[in-house]
Amino acid sequence: MCTVGGPMADIKMKKLKTKKYRCLDCDNEFKGIGRRVVCPSCQSDNVEEV
Protein backbone atom coordinates (compact mmCIF):
# COMPACT_ATOMS: atom_id res chain seq x y z
CA MET A 1 0.00 0.00 0.00
CA CYS A 2 1.25 3.50 -0.83
CA THR A 3 0.63 6.72 1.03
CA VAL A 4 0.10 10.11 -0.55
CA GLY A 5 3.24 12.21 -0.37
CA GLY A 6 5.15 9.58 1.58
CA PRO A 7 7.49 6.73 0.80
CA MET A 8 6.27 3.74 -1.13
CA ALA A 9 5.76 0.57 0.85
CA ASP A 10 5.96 -3.08 -0.21
CA ILE A 11 7.58 -2.24 -3.57
CA LYS A 12 11.13 -3.28 -4.41
CA MET A 13 12.61 -0.43 -6.49
CA LYS A 14 15.28 -2.75 -7.89
CA LYS A 15 12.62 -4.90 -9.59
CA LEU A 16 10.90 -1.94 -11.24
CA LYS A 17 12.24 -0.38 -14.43
CA THR A 18 13.34 2.98 -13.06
CA LYS A 19 15.04 5.77 -14.97
CA LYS A 20 17.69 8.19 -13.73
CA TYR A 21 16.69 11.84 -13.50
CA ARG A 22 18.36 15.13 -12.57
CA CYS A 23 16.50 18.06 -11.09
CA LEU A 24 17.17 21.26 -13.02
CA ASP A 25 16.34 23.37 -9.96
CA CYS A 26 18.46 21.80 -7.18
CA ASP A 27 20.77 19.52 -9.27
CA ASN A 28 19.74 16.40 -7.32
CA GLU A 29 20.14 13.07 -9.17
CA PHE A 30 17.63 10.32 -8.39
CA LYS A 31 15.76 7.35 -9.83
CA GLY A 32 12.11 7.67 -10.71
CA ILE A 33 9.22 5.97 -12.40
CA GLY A 34 5.97 7.16 -13.89
CA ARG A 35 4.68 9.91 -16.13
CA ARG A 36 5.08 12.86 -13.77
CA VAL A 37 8.40 12.55 -11.96
CA VAL A 38 9.01 14.93 -9.04
CA CYS A 39 12.34 15.61 -7.32
CA PRO A 40 12.33 14.03 -3.84
CA SER A 41 14.51 16.86 -2.45
CA CYS A 42 12.71 20.02 -3.55
CA GLN A 43 9.42 18.65 -4.98
CA SER A 44 10.07 20.34 -8.35
CA ASP A 45 8.81 18.74 -11.55
CA ASN A 46 11.52 20.53 -13.56
CA VAL A 47 13.55 17.34 -14.18
CA GLU A 48 15.37 15.76 -17.10
CA GLU A 49 16.24 12.15 -17.84
CA VAL A 50 19.95 11.43 -17.51
Side-chain angles (χ1 to χ4, degrees):
M1 180 181 292
C2 294
T3 59
V4 176
M8 292 189 298
D10 297 332
I11 296 177
K12 303 286 185 197
M13 290 299 283
K14 291 181 182 179
K15 290 187 178 185
L16 296 175
K17 301 227 182 212
T18 58
K19 296 180 182 176
K20 285 185 134 183
Y21 292 92
R22 182 173 62 91
C23 179
L24 299 175
D25 291 336
C26 72
D27 216 31
N28 180 36
E29 289 194 13
F30 60 95
K31 291 182 181 179
I33 191 168
R35 292 183 184 155
R36 186 175 178 269
V37 179
V38 177
C39 175
S41 290
C42 70
Q43 307 304 312
S44 172
D45 62 354
N46 187 18
V47 299
E48 72 177 358
E49 191 175 336
V50 179

